């Protein structure tokens, strides 16, 4: 677990892996493998599979085992072929993270499956425990952490999450098997609750990852300070585990690298140069949020979120179509036009040349 902690604390780009489907809504194995290869070659430090972006409904369709297996096998084969073999852990350059959902029995079963398939950690969703008390939630998380290292998941209520108190997060952070938290409530107050809780718990070995796709750059730049035992403690989001980073992943890797350097070293001596660089990045962050609004279909309360991710990947040739497991789920009216606009307005966000150079190799 030490190597996994070090890997996550170093700060990684971790895309939430989509589900590639055929027009008949069966798994498109060639393109599913192609997506995994794309993320690896783009420089992602991990992939999260079986999560919201993969579609939680893979479970009711009997696809969970196949989807997790495809990702694990492809990651092992592809990293071996490019000279960075996985030897079964996060000491390598890629952490495999499996989404885990449901009540105690289901979550334990999914965690055991992830362990059997060679995953490094599980991203634990609590959406199914909507009425559980903090005591019950902590007991649930502790039980899963006895099977696999756990990454906490603060999922926004608009897509199936629940509001979680700062008191819960402080108790959660105290669980020995917790290695990270993905903070994705799309809410500033609740985001700060998690920072305050982790600092109060004294856990400097729990990595904090932004899942706030609406605030990526500002999250990665902002230092957050709270007192612990009478002394100020400052933490940062070290990386992101994001649906937004399922697209334009090479750009995301370069972005995180540059933001980390800026946060650590600045760009030149003197406050003016550093301030200008930060201002430029915040402006880029606003553009990224604008693009994300189109991809995630924010005007329609995220109804076309997954289809929007699929559409970007389709335009790059990585997916054949935007099909979701639910035939009623697709792009919202006006969403394609919104994507046309951000495609035109923010060419610097896109991975056009990188994808064009690698597409044939990834889909072979």
């Amino acid at each position: 677990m030490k190597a996994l902690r070090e890997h996550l604390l170093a700060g990684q780009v971790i895309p939430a892996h989509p589900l590639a489907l055929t027009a008949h809504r069966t798994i498109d194995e060639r393109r599913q493998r192609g997506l995994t290869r794309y993320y690896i070659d783009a420089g992602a430090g991990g992939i999260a599979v079986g999560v919201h972006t993969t579609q939680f409904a893979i479970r009711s369709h009997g696809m969970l085992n196949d989807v997790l297996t495809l990702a694990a096998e492809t990651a092992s084969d592809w990293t071996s072929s490019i000279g960075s073999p996985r030897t079964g852990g996060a000491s390598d350059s890629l952490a495999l993270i499996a989404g885990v959902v449901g009540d105690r029995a289901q979550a334990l079963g999914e965690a055991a499956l992830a362990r059997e398939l060679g995953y490094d950690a599980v991203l634990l969703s609590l959406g199914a425990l909507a009425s559980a008390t903090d005591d019950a939630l902590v007991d649930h998380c502790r039980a899963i952490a006895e099977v696999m290292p756990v990454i906490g998941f603060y999922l926004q209520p608009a897509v199936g999450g629940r509001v979680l108190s700062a008191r819960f997060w402080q108790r959660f952070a105290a669980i020995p098997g917790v290695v990270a938290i993905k903070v994705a409530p799309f809410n500033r107050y609740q985001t700060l609750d998690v920072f305050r809780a982790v600092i109060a718990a004294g856990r400097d070995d729990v990595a904090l990852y932004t899942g706030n796709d609406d605030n990526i750059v500002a999250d990665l730049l902002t230092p957050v300070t709270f007192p612990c035992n009478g002394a100020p403690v400052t933490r940062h989001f070290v990386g992101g585990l994001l649906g937004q980073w399922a697209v334009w992943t090479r750009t995301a890797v370069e972005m995180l690298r540059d933001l980390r350097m800026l946060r650590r070293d600045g760009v030149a001596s003197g406050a003016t140069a550093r301030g200008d660089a930060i201002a430029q990045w915040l402006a880029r962050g606003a553009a990224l949020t604008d693009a994300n609004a189109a991809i995630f279909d924010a005007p329609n309360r995220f109804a076309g979120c997954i289809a929007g991710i699929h559409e970007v990947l389709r335009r790059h040739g990585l997916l054949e179509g935007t099909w979701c497991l639910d035939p009623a789920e697709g792009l919202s009216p006006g969403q394609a036009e919104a994507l046309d606009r951000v495609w035109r307005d923010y060419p610097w966000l896109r991975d056009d040349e990188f994808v064009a150079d690698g597409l044939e190799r990834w889909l072979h």
Side-chain angles (χ1 to χ4, degrees):
M1 193 181 297
K2 179 182 177 182
L4 174 62
R5 289 191 188 280
E6 291 175 350
H7 183 73
L8 294 174
L9 286 167
Q12 308 297 337
V13 166
I14 304 178
H17 202 306
L19 177 67
L21 293 174
T22 69
H24 300 290
R25 293 183 167 81
T26 58
I27 299 173
D28 186 335
E29 182 174 323
R30 181 171 71 99
R31 292 182 182 275
Q32 190 74 9
R33 292 187 184 277
L35 286 174
T36 303
R37 293 164 178 162
Y38 162 53
Y39 298 137
I40 293 170
D41 281 5
I47 51 172
V49 191
V51 297
H52 174 252
T53 302
T54 324
Q55 302 180 57
F56 289 139
I58 58 174
R59 292 157 175 86
S60 59
H61 285 73
M63 295 179 174
L64 178 64
N65 192 323
D66 290 343
V67 170
L68 292 180
T69 299
L70 269 173
E73 290 179 350
T74 303
S76 178
D77 293 345
W78 196 249
T79 53
S80 297
S81 72
I82 61 176
S84 178
R86 282 184 54 82
T87 56
S91 58
D92 307 311
S93 60
L94 189 77
L96 287 178
I97 300 163
V100 164
V101 306
D103 61 15
R104 182 76 58 86
Q106 180 179 346
L108 285 172
E110 292 186 5
L113 173 63
R115 181 180 60 190
E116 178 185 339
L117 294 174
Y119 279 73
D120 300 300
V122 297
L123 182 67
L124 181 58
S125 173
L126 301 175
L129 306 176
S131 60
T133 64
D134 281 0
D135 286 345
L137 290 175
V138 172
D139 286 346
H140 178 81
C141 297
R142 188 178 292 112
I144 307 309
E146 291 177 0
V147 179
M148 283 285 285
V150 165
I151 299 174
F153 187 10
Y154 201 162
L155 176 65
Q156 61 163 322
V159 292
R162 56 166 288 178
V163 175
L164 297 161
S165 68
R167 175 174 168 76
F168 162 75
W169 284 114
Q170 184 171 346
R171 295 176 65 190
F172 174 84
I175 297 171
V178 169
V179 293
I181 301 173
K182 168 180 171 163
V183 187
F186 284 39
N187 179 292
R188 297 300 90 207
Y189 305 114
Q190 293 162 3
T191 295
L192 290 176
D193 279 346
V194 180
F195 273 91
R196 179 160 54 89
V198 173
I199 289 172
R203 290 296 299 272
D204 59 2
D205 61 342
V206 172
L208 294 170
Y209 273 68
T210 181
N212 292 317
D213 303 80
D214 63 341
N215 200 56
I216 297 170
V217 172
D219 269 1
L220 291 169
L221 277 177
T222 303
V224 179
T225 303
F226 285 104
C228 180
N229 298 323
V233 175
T234 299
R235 296 290 303 270
H236 289 85
F237 280 119
V238 296
L241 198 169
L242 296 154
Q244 173 62 45
W245 283 355
V247 304
W248 307 332
T249 310
R250 181 67 169 184
T251 299
V253 169
E254 294 168 350
M255 177 185 300
L256 179 59
R257 178 201 62 204
D258 292 349
L259 290 171
R260 187 164 48 225
M261 290 176 60
L262 175 60
R263 197 173 65 207
R264 183 188 64 207
D265 302 326
V267 292
S269 61
T272 300
R274 180 178 174 82
D276 287 348
I278 291 172
Q280 290 171 6
W281 267 112
L282 290 175
R284 292 184 186 182
L288 179 56
T289 297
D290 183 36
N292 177 259
I295 296 169
F296 274 30
D297 194 28
N300 295 294
R301 294 186 57 81
F302 309 102
C305 170
I306 293 173
I309 292 170
H310 290 182
E311 173 61 11
V312 174
L313 295 170
R314 186 198 65 79
R315 293 184 184 200
H316 279 306
L318 284 157
L319 292 184
E320 185 180 356
T322 63
W323 305 292
C324 299
L325 288 171
D326 182 353
E329 190 173 349
L331 294 175
S332 293
Q335 191 177 1
E337 291 76 14
L339 286 167
D340 289 341
R341 178 183 63 80
V342 301
W343 207 271
R344 180 187 67 245
D345 290 352
Y346 309 124
W348 54 270
L349 272 174
R350 306 196 313 257
D351 280 354
D352 292 5
E353 292 184 9
F354 178 73
V355 174
D357 287 345
L359 187 62
E360 184 177 351
R361 184 174 70 256
W362 301 328
L363 295 181
H364 80 278

